[in-house]
Amino acid sequence: MSERTGQPGNLLESVKGPGDLKRLAADELPVLAAEIRDLLIASTARSGGHLGPNLGVVELTIAMHRVFDSPHDRILWDTGHQAYVHKMLTGRAGRFDTLRQEGGLSGYPSQAESEHDIIENSHASTALSYADGLAKAYRLRGEADRTVVAVIGDGALTGGMAWEALNNIAASKDLPLIIVVNDNGRSYSPTIGGLASHLASLRTNQRYEDVLDFVKGNLTRVPVVGAPVYDALHGVKKGLKDVLAPQVMFEDLGLKYIGLVDGHDEQAVEAALRRARDFRRPVIVHVLTKKGFGYSPAENHDEDCFHSPGVFDPLTGEEKPKPHGWTNVFGQEMVRLGAERRDIVAITAAMLGPTGLIPFSEAYPDRLYDVGIAEQHALTSAAGLALGGLHPVVAVYATFLNRAFDQLLMDVALHRLPVTVVLDRAGVTGDDGASHNGMWDLSILQVVPGLSIAVPRDEPRLRELLAEAVEIDDGPSVVRYPKGAVATEIEAVGRLGEMDVLRAGDPDVLLVSVGPMAELCMEAADLLDAQGISATVVDPRWVKPLDEALTAAARVHKLVVVVEDNGRVGAVGDAVARMLRDADVDVPVRTYGIPQRFLDHAKRPKILGEIGLTSQDIARQITEAIAKRSPVLENHPTR
Ligand SMILES: Cc1ncc(C[n+]2csc(CCOP(=O)(O)OP(=O)(O)O)c2C)c(N)n1
Ligand SMILES: CC(=O)[C@@H](O)[C@H](O)COP(=O)(O)O
Ligand SMILES: [Mg+2]
């Protein structure tokens, strides 16, 4: 195994862009591929990242940049987690020591990084819709010589948007649009559903290709009649294919289909892509790849083929142990609740492991549903399960719930159905960039009638609130918690209605701490003490509906402060301010949360520091707020 230096090898170093790549001889490409793999392994070992997906597209990406002319031709990556090789071949190989670091290379395409990058959103199943629009724009602008190429994984192809796009693309016979299905048979775990089995049958039905090759090899050797007979046979290819290979649904959609192509045979991929390019109409190129290809620890990693490992030893593939996290607690609690309540079922959207539901699936295999990357379907299927008398728990990352908002609102809440949605990775996640931060749910869910939201501050509260949530049977409930290690446990010193009082102070400041912001708020209260400002810290536990006791408590304080790990606009802080206004409690309210903008990638603590979600910042801002109002407040009778 070559010494993995973490720097590009000589050949890769010489590739400053697709032009250099095109000038390489075919026999240099395997060397290039090996250097790319070395750099992928070394850089993700150091920073974590999507090693498995990128190892699987090395030859595919080389072929794409040799056949097409980016950025004149546009190459789109669905989800974008598999675009590291694309970045290496478009002049960024030398920056992989900064992968996913603040100010360094993003783990996804980035328009600011390169003219070769377009889609920055890491939400899956969008690339075909972008491609449809882009190709139509080029046609309308008289730039029809530009080919649009969208790479979509078999997992992303289980997302509904992809089929909405295919339906439209199939209707546009004159769009030079190439859909590369990167079929490695997996999302994290093996891809599920009818489509997955269809793709699998195509993969296994190499029979058709073998028979055809055999016929071609033997018939065309027969003098005079051989070739015409072969052509006749080939002419009935569709029938032959249907007989030997299952119904190829893509062709039935009206799309040309080229496949199955060995995705690790770079020359074969190039040939297929050239054929597809020359059709000048929508074509599917079905490429078979292996996730983690070329690195045995990834190839043999059962759970997810090193989909997105943390830091690991490149020689052994041994991952650095992850801390006891919120996800683990949820997984354990689901097994306990599943034993108590046989009506509890769980749904994952192709993220069984990342959401912690593996223990539940092992304990109750017939009560776990993996719906693929299909959050919209997940929510409405959950509504069906609830209508059927069950209590579904839908576990998704907070940011991906956005995709299923209408289903939660109109298919679940409108019918007051007992569905519990568990949002992992809520708040700032950090190194997966702007589209991964779970900073939207506490805002968008405020408008859902009859929906309850719980935000646990630590492990005991997660267990407690999840148990309370699944007891709610007259409407949807939501429990949300951040990525990573559980927060320090903080016991209540009293109760205020259903809220936990974490620190009882004189009525200067009422500090409303939302979920895992508790530790930060307690530290801020200590800092305020030193300034002679006394803070009462309460943890609402349930932030929707808010506890009326908050109104009475606010009345006797000089300032109300709400701290939350969500976008500031329309979230808990605004809900508290509205509740106090409605109750004619005109105590000033300050809300501290995530600024309502897209955040660049960096580690979570770094981002929290930059946006002022630290105890020092909160204490300083409260001190300033008190000082600004003190003349008024001094003379203002306490209410
Ligand atoms: C809407 C949405 N849901 C879930 C995810 C999380 N996610 C990221 S990559 C991935 C698996 C993608 O599988 P596939 O498209 O086959 O690509 P591969 O990793 O196999 O190359 C998932 C579920 C996401 N990015 N977007
Ligand atoms: C690309 C994608 O959506 C996921 O793979 C994401 O990277 C998961 O990140 P964590 O599971 O590490 O939070
Ligand atoms: Mg896949």
Side-chain angles (χ1 to χ4, degrees), residues 82-209:
Q82 77 292 57
Y84 296 6
V85 183
H86 160 81
K87 292 194 174 202
M88 290 180 186
L89 299 176
T90 50
R92 289 165 275 177
R95 294 191 57 204
F96 265 73
D97 55 342
T98 69
L99 181 65
R100 293 157 54 100
Q101 312 299 315
E102 186 194 7
L105 274 186
S106 162
Y108 301 85
S110 159
Q111 293 180 13
E113 281 178 22
S114 168
E115 61 179 344
H116 296 280
D117 292 9
I118 303 183
I119 307 173
E120 300 187 356
N121 176 16
S122 61
H123 291 201
S125 317
T126 64
L128 305 193
S129 297
Y130 278 105
D132 175 63
L134 205 48
K136 285 171 180 169
Y138 291 154
R139 177 176 61 186
L140 203 59
R141 289 165 49 97
E143 300 172 11
D145 64 319
R146 305 182 71 172
T147 305
V148 176
V149 188
V151 179
I152 185 166
D154 56 298
L157 206 51
T158 62
M161 266 185 80
W163 293 88
E164 294 169 20
L166 280 171
N167 183 45
N168 282 275
I169 291 167
S172 310
K173 298 291 183 235
D174 61 339
L175 286 183
L177 194 164
I178 297 170
I179 296 164
V180 178
V181 175
N182 171 32
D183 181 2
N184 53 29
R186 305 181 73 105
S187 278
Y188 283 76
S189 30
T191 306
I192 64 93
L195 167 74
S197 21
H198 176 75
L199 291 177
S201 64
L202 286 178
R203 286 199 292 272
T204 49
N205 257 292
Q206 195 55 38
R207 195 158 42 104
Y208 161 75
E209 299 297 342

Side-chain angles (χ1 to χ4, degrees), residues 507-508 532-533 558 625-639:
D508 286 341
I533 299 171
K558 299 170 185 168
I626 290 277
K628 212 180 289 176
R629 303 189 64 87
S630 55
V632 174
L633 290 172
E634 282 310 286
N635 308 326
H636 216 289
T638 51
R639 281 172 289 280

Side-chain angles (χ1 to χ4, degrees), residues 550-564:
L550 203 53
T551 308
R555 237 182 255 283
V556 297
H557 282 80
K558 299 170 185 168
L559 177 70
V560 175
V561 172
V562 182
V563 183
E564 58 192 310

Side-chain angles (χ1 to χ4, degrees), residues 569-633:
V569 172
V572 178
D574 284 355
V576 169
R578 185 175 351 97
M579 181 172 84
L580 297 184
R581 261 196 323 273
D582 293 351
D584 291 330
V585 176
D586 61 354
V587 174
V589 179
R590 289 281 189 285
T591 63
Y592 300 113
I594 303 171
Q596 210 65 41
R597 57 180 164 82
F598 296 114
L599 303 173
D600 289 339
H601 67 275
K603 293 287 174 218
R604 174 179 161 89
K606 187 80 179 166
I607 292 177
L608 293 176
E610 277 167 5
I611 63 177
L613 280 182
T614 67
S615 51
Q616 296 83 349
D617 286 314
I618 300 293
R620 177 179 49 75
Q621 295 184 77
I622 291 174
T623 305
E624 286 165 4
I626 290 277
K628 212 180 289 176
R629 303 189 64 87
S630 55
V632 174
L633 290 172

Side-chain angles (χ1 to χ4, degrees), residues 290-336:
K290 184 171 179 52
K291 206 163 197 173
F293 187 77
Y295 182 56
S296 53
E299 288 189 28
N300 304 324
H301 185 251
D302 288 341
E303 188 177 324
D304 65 19
C305 293
F306 263 31
H307 176 85
S308 60
V311 173
F312 64 92
D313 178 337
L315 290 177
T316 64
E318 194 71 31
E319 273 196 86
K320 202 168 120 190
K322 289 186 177 153
H324 177 57
W326 297 91
T327 309
N328 308 105
V329 177
F330 165 65
Q332 291 166 2
E333 201 55 21
M334 280 297 288
V335 172
R336 189 187 69 76

